[in-house]
Amino acid sequence: EVQLVESGGALVQPGGSLRLSCAASGFTFTHYWINWVRQAPGKGLEWVAKINEAGSEADYVDSVRGRFTISRDNAKNSLSLQMNSLRAEDTAVYYCARAATVSTYYFDYWGQGTLVTVSS
Amino acid sequence: EIVMTQSPATLSVSPGERATLSCRASQRLNFNLAWYQQKPGQAPRLLIYGASTRATGVPARFTGSGSGTEFTLTISSLQSEDFAVYYCQQYNIWPPLTFGGGTKVEIK
């Protein structure tokens, strides 16, 4: 069974930092691009970042580029999102999501999410 | 960036009735569109990809159609478990991958 389990969400002050993690199991982790997708309270879904199978290629939505860094540890089947210079508008549930393939880039499995709250 | 627009924002439907949800893209997508269902407090669940292919385990009452810039998700006979928010997502031109704003299907 494919599982993605996020952790690390917390209350953090504006300007602070936080690191999210996603533990993957039930599939060959090195065969898939993995993503972070977020959802602000009561709002819709927003793709945040993606990383390729080897961890050599990453990309971000403009609003987080330069502040967030996605990485993966294929030996541990894990994904991370380092979030710096956090803003109130980064408050959201952050989901780890697997992309089906690089050419058919929809999300076939999602984690349960972890809540990040940026507030003083 | 491709902008995805869903309508209506809220759809009130009685159990057993048909629901028709629309998704419009600002550029042509070919068939590179997915639909997701999200229930309160849960992660999104993939329903449809390639505009019309049901994901594993999705009931046949869910039908995706359309191409180009206009897409539709039809739920033929609403069951109690279908009341949820539905999102479309394009994957034709990215980054960024973009979602529609969602349609909430509520009980009439």
Side-chain angles (χ1 to χ4, degrees):
Chain A
E1 178 191 8
V2 172
Q3 285 198 316
L4 297 165
V5 179
E6 303 92 337
S7 60
L11 171 64
V12 60
Q13 292 190 339
S17 297
L18 198 63
R19 187 177 185 87
L20 305 183
S21 297
C22 172
S25 61
F27 65 101
T28 305
F29 188 64
T30 54
H31 287 184
Y32 292 90
W33 291 57
I34 310 292
N35 302 259
W36 289 99
V37 178
R38 68 184 178 183
Q39 185 170 36
K43 302 297 184 182
L45 300 167
E46 180 183 39
W47 169 78
V48 173
K50 64 176 176 72
I51 191 164
N52 70 341
E53 303 95 329
S56 57
E57 180 181 338
D59 206 351
Y60 306 88
V61 68
D62 285 347
S63 59
V64 309
R65 188 173 288 115
R67 300 188 297 123
F68 289 12
T69 302
I70 188 172
S71 61
R72 64 192 291 164
D73 184 338
N74 285 344
K76 296 182 178 179
N77 285 3
S78 68
L79 178 78
S80 296
L81 185 69
Q82 177 66 42
M83 303 186 294
N84 299 329
S85 303
L86 281 161
R87 306 167 180 167
E89 54 265 35
D90 296 319
T91 294
V93 173
Y94 284 73
Y95 295 102
C96 173
R98 189 182 86 169
T101 75
V102 68
S103 58
T104 53
Y105 214 92
Y106 53 86
F107 305 112
D108 57 356
Y109 288 94
W110 299 66
Q112 85 289 349
T114 189
L115 176 62
V116 173
T117 304
V118 184
S119 175
S120 55
Chain B
E1 174 178 327
I2 296 180
V3 177
M4 306 298 293
T5 303
Q6 290 187 243
S7 62
T10 303
L11 188 61
S12 298
V13 185
S14 299
E17 290 187 343
R18 173 188 298 258
T20 302
L21 290 65
S22 296
C23 176
R24 174 177 294 176
S26 61
Q27 300 178 45
R28 294 184 64 84
L29 303 182
N30 300 308
F31 297 98
N32 294 317
L33 183 106
W35 290 93
Y36 302 88
Q37 176 193 65
Q38 187 178 35
K39 298 179 181 179
Q42 296 185 18
R45 168 199 178 197
L46 176 68
L47 292 179
I48 301 284
Y49 61 91
S52 62
T53 303
R54 280 187 293 273
T56 303
V58 174
R61 63 181 180 271
F62 290 91
T63 301
S65 61
S67 65
T69 61
E70 301 283 345
F71 299 86
T72 300
L73 176 68
T74 302
I75 311 171
S76 60
S77 177
L78 272 159
Q79 306 298 302
S80 57
E81 61 267 30
D82 301 335
F83 292 97
V85 180
Y86 293 84
Y87 294 95
C88 60
Q89 176 234 327
Q90 69 84 18
Y91 52 94
N92 193 56
I93 298 176
W94 56 275
L97 295 146
T98 49
F99 293 87
T103 291
K104 181 180 181 180
V105 178
E106 65 177 23
I107 300 174
K108 186 174 182 181

